[in-house]
């Protein structure tokens, strides 16, 4: 009897999915054309607009670093590794994190991240992979940290340890867009991060991971906390950077 009920429920759910697909055919989130696999977030044409980079970038001026040699802005706190630019199709995909469609977002990003790691020659298997943390209250609201999902892909590809517990968000910061003058923005972020007591990054390389790099203020603040705990080399890794 129980098994029959289970089967009935399962079939009913399957029927509902089918009905939803007929009523709302899966469409590209960016251009609304239908997607080939049904589960894909972007259609093939939109996927082709995403260019995967081949180098690292200067964290200050975002210039390409040919051959990954540090040439400009020597005072930059880290090297920037960015999979692609924050162009329209990528922007639409990142936006989907807000609607908790993280499995489909990551199915778009994961292969791009892996291609980029191969192309830019980043093979630091001994680096610690640290995602930019969300404040615990924001994590509770959202249910997941997109930086942690991206960091998981990076760690897996490099065979490097994923260590989210090594960086804490100690202050809730406001959305930067809500603050108008630059000083308020800088103060909003200053010292928002800390490293747990007793943790030392002496002679360690760290790959700090976030979704998007715009002004770099968040990464800079996090990097400051890591350096204070002895970190030697920091690479800021993001899926997308603004121009
Ligand atoms: Zn499309
Ligand atoms: Zn520069």
């Amino acid at each position: 009897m129980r098994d029959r009920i289970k089967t009935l429920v399962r079939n009913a759910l399957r029927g509902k999915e089918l009905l939803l697909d007929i009523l709302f055919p899966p469409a590209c989130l960016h251009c609304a054309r239908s997607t080939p696999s049904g589960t894909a977030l972007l259609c093939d044409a939109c996927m082709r607009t995403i260019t995967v980079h081949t180098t690292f970038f200067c964290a200050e001026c975002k210039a390409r670093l040919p051959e990954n040699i540090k040439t400009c802005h020597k005072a930059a706190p880290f090297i920037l590794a960015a999979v692609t630019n924050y162009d329209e199709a990528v922007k639409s995909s990142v936006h989907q994190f807000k609607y908790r469609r993280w499995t489909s977002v990551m199915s778009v990003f994961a292969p791009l991240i892996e291609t980029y790691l191969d192309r830019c020659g980043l093979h630091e298997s001994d680096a610690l992979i640290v995602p930019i943390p969300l404040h615990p209250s924001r994590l509770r609201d959202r249910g997941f940290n997109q930086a942690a999902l991206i960091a998981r892909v990076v760690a897996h590809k490099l065979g490097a340890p994923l260590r989210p517990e090594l960086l804490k968000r100690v202050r809730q910061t406001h959305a930067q867009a809500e603050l108008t003058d630059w000083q308020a923005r800088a103060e909003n972020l200053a010292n928002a991060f800390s490293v747990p007591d007793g943790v030392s990054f002496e002679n360690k390389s760290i790959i700090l991971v976030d979704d998007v790099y715009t002004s770099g203020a968040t990464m800079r603040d996090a990097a400051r906390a890591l350096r204070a705990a002895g970190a030697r080399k920091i690479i800021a890794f993001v899926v997308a950077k603004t121009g």
Side-chain angles (χ1 to χ4, degrees):
M1 184 68 187
R2 261 184 77 163
D3 284 349
R4 274 186 62 192
I5 293 172
K6 267 190 199 165
T7 312
L8 274 172
V9 170
R10 207 175 295 135
N11 287 343
L13 287 174
R14 220 172 274 152
K16 188 180 146 220
E17 266 169 36
L18 198 66
L19 186 65
L20 280 172
D21 276 357
I22 293 165
L23 293 175
F24 308 101
C28 171
L29 250 299
H30 186 60
C31 71
R33 268 184 289 232
S34 68
T35 56
S37 77
T39 53
L41 198 62
L42 297 175
C43 71
D44 288 345
C46 287
M47 275 305 289
R48 279 196 294 274
T49 66
I50 302 176
T51 310
V52 175
H53 293 139
T54 55
T55 64
F56 295 144
F57 298 86
C58 171
E60 291 291 331
C61 67
K62 299 180 188 169
R64 282 183 61 219
L65 300 179
E67 311 291 319
N68 295 325
I69 296 165
K70 258 202 230 179
T71 46
C72 63
H73 290 95
K74 295 216 183 304
F78 43 72
I79 291 177
L80 175 61
V83 174
T84 184
N85 286 332
Y86 196 45
D87 292 333
E88 296 305 318
V90 176
K91 212 179 278 182
S92 297
S93 305
V94 168
H95 190 64
Q96 291 303 310
F97 276 130
K98 287 211 173 89
Y99 302 103
R100 298 189 164 82
R101 295 187 57 182
W102 57 269
T103 38
S104 41
V105 178
M106 289 312 295
S107 72
V108 169
F109 290 158
L112 301 175
I113 291 168
E114 289 172 0
T115 303
Y116 174 65
L117 288 170
D118 283 336
R119 288 189 186 173
C120 74
L122 185 58
H123 315 290
E124 307 229 3
S125 59
D126 54 349
L128 306 175
I129 314 298
V130 180
I132 292 282
L134 288 177
H135 190 271
S137 65
R138 193 167 286 177
L139 182 61
R140 259 196 311 277
D141 290 348
R142 193 177 293 170
F144 66 94
N145 174 5
Q146 63 264 46
L149 299 173
I150 296 162
R152 194 194 293 167
V153 176
V154 175
H156 185 257
K157 171 76 178 170
L158 297 181
L162 178 62
R163 303 296 300 275
E165 77 283 7
L166 296 179
L167 186 65
K168 303 263 177 241
R169 194 153 200 150
V170 287
R171 283 202 309 116
Q172 174 75 288
T173 48
H174 303 281
Q176 287 290 85
E178 291 166 12
L179 304 168
T180 45
D181 73 291
W182 68 267
Q183 198 173 354
R185 285 179 171 225
E187 280 169 10
N188 179 39
L189 278 168
N191 304 319
F193 300 96
S194 86
V195 169
D197 287 343
V199 170
S200 165
F201 293 119
E202 216 70 59
N203 294 319
K204 288 276 198 309
S205 294
I206 293 167
I207 300 179
L208 197 53
V209 181
D210 207 354
D211 52 357
V212 180
Y213 188 92
T214 46
S215 73
T218 308
M219 286 287 204
R220 246 173 263 269
D221 195 32
R224 205 178 304 131
L226 299 174
R227 285 240 187 268
R232 178 175 46 100
K233 181 180 172 192
I234 299 172
I235 294 172
F237 185 100
V238 292
V239 166
K241 66 169 183 64
T242 55

